Amino acid sequence: MCLALPAKVLGITGETGTVELGGVEIDISLALLDDVQPGDYVVVHVGFALSKIDEAEARATLAALHAARQAAAPPPPQHRNGGEEAAG
Amino acid sequence: MKHVDAYRDPVLAKTLRAAIAEEATGRRYALMEFCGGHTHAICRYGLEDLLPPTVTMIHGPGCPVCVLPIGRLDMAIELALRPGVILATYGDMLRVPGSNGNSLLKAKAAGADIRMVYSTQAALDLTEKHPDRQVVFFAIGFETTTPPTAVALAHAKAKGLRNFTVFCNHVLTPPAIDAIMATDGTDGGIRIDGVVGPGHVSTVIGTGAYEEAADKHRRPIVISGFEPIDVLESVLRLVRQINRGEARVENGFSRAVRRDGNAKALALIDQVFGLRDSFEWRGLGAIPHSALQLTDAYADFDAERRFGLVHRTVPDHKACECGDILRGVKRPSDCKVFGNACTPDNPLGSCMVSPEGACAAFYLYGRFRDVAATA
């Protein structure tokens, strides 16, 4: 039950959000969050969005991880993901 | 997938692995991942195999169906068998063994009206479809599943629903972490040097909720996301804190977790629920102030009050080691019935049921780790 993935908000009607979760569109409740907009990513749990993904924090976390990696060793040429996330 | 793939990067994993191996030396590091979601990730991605021999991951009790004692499940089964009742439950509970080999699934086969729901809204929908029946929502889980139950209760009260109640079994993470950290290893428990703290629970309660436990027991807690890079980075942060003699709460899942959590969800929880004096956890026993009950304002929606349910303590199956596994004292492979008499298809104990249960995660991903390759 704690297994959850970030879901992209596609549309909002009242307290109901339509999200894309692993390629599937489902309706979830946004009753527990304020200020959600289409395009945001939310953590969904048993049909409710519990938290909005903070894009700036996500970028900062990844930047720090990649900086640590580059300090440890230069990136190998076959590395696919680079320093940024794939477009969602 | 955005916010997922970047945290499964094998190059980052190798860097983190090397950093952990370099820094985790000169002592042993017993780290507990509290949450079953982390246990699942550790088993699924083989993360234990990336850690040096000095670091041991101990699987904690953060699996909702695992920690519910048999006595509480028996109450749900008894309730479901009453005429006129529809019991709405999350699917994970259906196959959990109750006493005398019973389960909700067997009760359903025997005629009980038990419906699997994915959300509390689906349970509320049943009240409209069946106005002549009593719909009881079997509420289980930690602070992640509690706000959705609170939303349903607030809605039911606002609409004055007369055929909706909640059988509340919601439990709290910080008291359980406190109970586990209080063990020094001499009293049948295991001493933990640091805790990988739950990510989704913390989206609700925030990192601040763990500061008291970290201070009191002088050991670090790092809140972690659920992808392999998240978990490895949290292990590295714990190793560093332990090496420096620090005991701070760190937020390793800052893209989703804030220090103060989700204020709206917490306010709703406060409105609907109050603390129980004590609650029995499978494996951990009775822990004071570790679970929630409906407040008096919501008494009409409390299934325990409406149906006069009484809890009895029931011992686990005598061959099942779930209790010791939930305390981190034993590993699934230490259990005699693991993988033979007890499998996900035919579980003897709750840890083998849900994918977050340590036994089920081991069975799915890790049971051949100790077997020498013959090919």
Side-chain angles (χ1 to χ4, degrees):
Chain A
M1 282 166 46
C2 275
L3 309 178
L5 289 171
K8 184 178 184 179
V9 178
L10 302 174
I12 299 171
T13 311
E15 285 194 336
T16 302
T18 302
V19 299
E20 186 204 331
L21 191 59
V24 180
E25 282 185 26
I26 56 167
D27 285 344
I28 58 151
S29 171
L30 299 173
L32 296 168
L33 286 181
D34 291 322
D35 304 327
V36 179
Q37 306 294 330
D40 287 344
Y41 280 76
V42 290
V43 174
V44 178
H45 204 75
V46 292
F48 285 73
L50 291 182
S51 170
K52 192 162 95 173
I53 300 283
D54 184 324
E55 298 284 345
E57 285 287 346
R59 277 194 299 275
T61 297
L62 286 169
L65 285 166
H66 283 281
R69 186 206 73 206
Q70 286 181 348
Q78 74 274 20
H79 174 42
R80 287 184 291 116
N81 280 332
E84 293 298 320
E85 292 182 79
Chain B
M1 210 184 320
K2 194 174 179 188
H3 297 302
V4 173
D5 293 345
Y7 303 92
R8 295 180 182 173
D9 181 340
V11 178
L12 281 182
K14 283 176 187 160
T15 310
L16 288 164
R17 175 195 198 180
I20 294 167
E22 192 181 317
E23 299 189 35
T25 55
R27 56 163 291 163
R28 296 193 67 80
Y29 301 79
L31 309 180
M32 174 177 277
E33 87 278 5
F34 181 86
C35 174
H38 286 137
T39 304
H40 184 91
I42 286 166
C43 290
R44 178 175 175 187
Y45 296 106
L47 300 183
E48 284 182 300
D49 294 338
L50 298 181
L51 299 175
T54 48
V55 177
T56 308
M57 297 309 296
I58 294 156
H59 310 312
C63 155
V65 307
C66 300
V67 295
L68 190 75
I70 289 178
R72 301 290 297 184
L73 174 60
D74 283 355
M75 290 162 78
I77 294 171
E78 181 205 325
L79 188 53
L81 287 165
R82 293 197 191 184
V85 167
I86 297 174
L87 186 82
T89 177
Y90 293 129
D92 285 8
M93 282 309 303
L94 285 173
R95 291 180 308 113
V96 178
S99 53
N100 303 318
N102 215 344
S103 69
L104 287 172
L105 204 57
K106 286 182 182 171
K108 188 174 167 69
D113 194 344
I114 296 169
R115 313 284 181 101
M116 188 173 87
V117 294
Y118 292 99
S119 74
T120 54
Q121 183 57 48
L124 281 178
D125 291 345
L126 289 170
T127 63
E128 283 182 25
K129 283 188 205 141
H130 304 281
D132 54 333
R133 308 275 297 280
Q134 283 293 325
V135 176
V136 183
F137 178 63
F138 186 10
I140 65 151
F142 293 87
E143 292 89 339
T144 45
T145 50
T146 307
T149 305
V151 169
L153 281 163
H155 185 81
K157 190 173 167 69
K159 286 188 79 175
L161 288 182
R162 300 298 307 155
N163 65 332
F164 180 74
T165 52
V166 166
F167 175 37
C168 181
N169 295 277
H170 287 304
V171 287
L172 301 172
T173 302
I177 287 187
D178 178 69
I180 285 167
M181 288 180 117
T183 299
D184 64 2
T186 61
D187 51 2
I190 187 162
R191 189 190 149 84
I192 305 293
D193 298 312
V195 173
V196 175
H200 294 141
V201 161
S202 303
T203 65
V204 175
I205 66 174
T207 57
Y210 306 93
E211 287 167 3
E212 190 182 328
D215 278 350
K216 181 170 150 192
H217 301 292
R218 298 294 309 145
R219 274 168 272 170
I221 299 172
V222 176
I223 308 305
S224 177
F226 292 88
E227 297 302 330
I229 297 302
D230 291 318
V231 177
L232 288 172
E233 204 225 353
S234 297
V235 168
L236 179 60
R237 288 180 184 225
L238 285 170
V239 166
R240 285 179 174 165
Q241 281 207 47
I242 292 165
N243 285 351
R244 295 176 190 144
E246 295 175 350
R248 291 180 290 114
V249 178
E250 277 188 81
N251 187 356
F253 195 29
S254 60
R255 62 188 184 275
V257 171
R258 275 104 233 175
R259 186 186 175 277
D260 297 325
N262 180 332
K264 199 171 180 184
L266 289 172
L268 204 54
I269 290 173
D270 269 353
Q271 176 192 324
V272 173
F273 298 107
L275 282 178
R276 289 180 193 266
D277 291 337
S278 181
F279 194 76
E280 182 190 331
W281 295 54
R282 192 191 297 241
L284 303 179
I287 304 177
H289 306 304
S290 65
L292 299 174
Q293 61 188 354
L294 275 64
T295 60
D296 286 344
Y298 283 83
D300 288 348
F301 301 93
D302 186 342
E304 285 179 75
R305 295 188 225 193
R306 183 174 299 183
F307 298 98
L309 300 176
V310 180
H311 176 230
R312 286 180 304 116
T313 297
V314 179
D316 286 349
H317 189 287
K318 61 181 184 297
C320 171
E321 304 271 20
C322 272
D324 280 348
I325 290 165
L326 287 166
R327 285 201 307 280
V329 177
K330 288 189 177 170
R331 296 171 75 77
S333 49
D334 296 330
C335 177
K336 285 196 296 289
V337 293
F338 172 78
N340 43 67
C342 182
T343 63
D345 286 337
N346 185 27
L348 289 182
S350 59
C351 302
M352 189 55 101
V353 179
S354 158
E356 298 150 271
C359 295
F362 257 62
Y363 188 87
L364 285 171
Y365 300 115
R367 68 193 143 123
F368 301 118
R369 277 180 67 221
D370 297 333
V371 179
T374 54

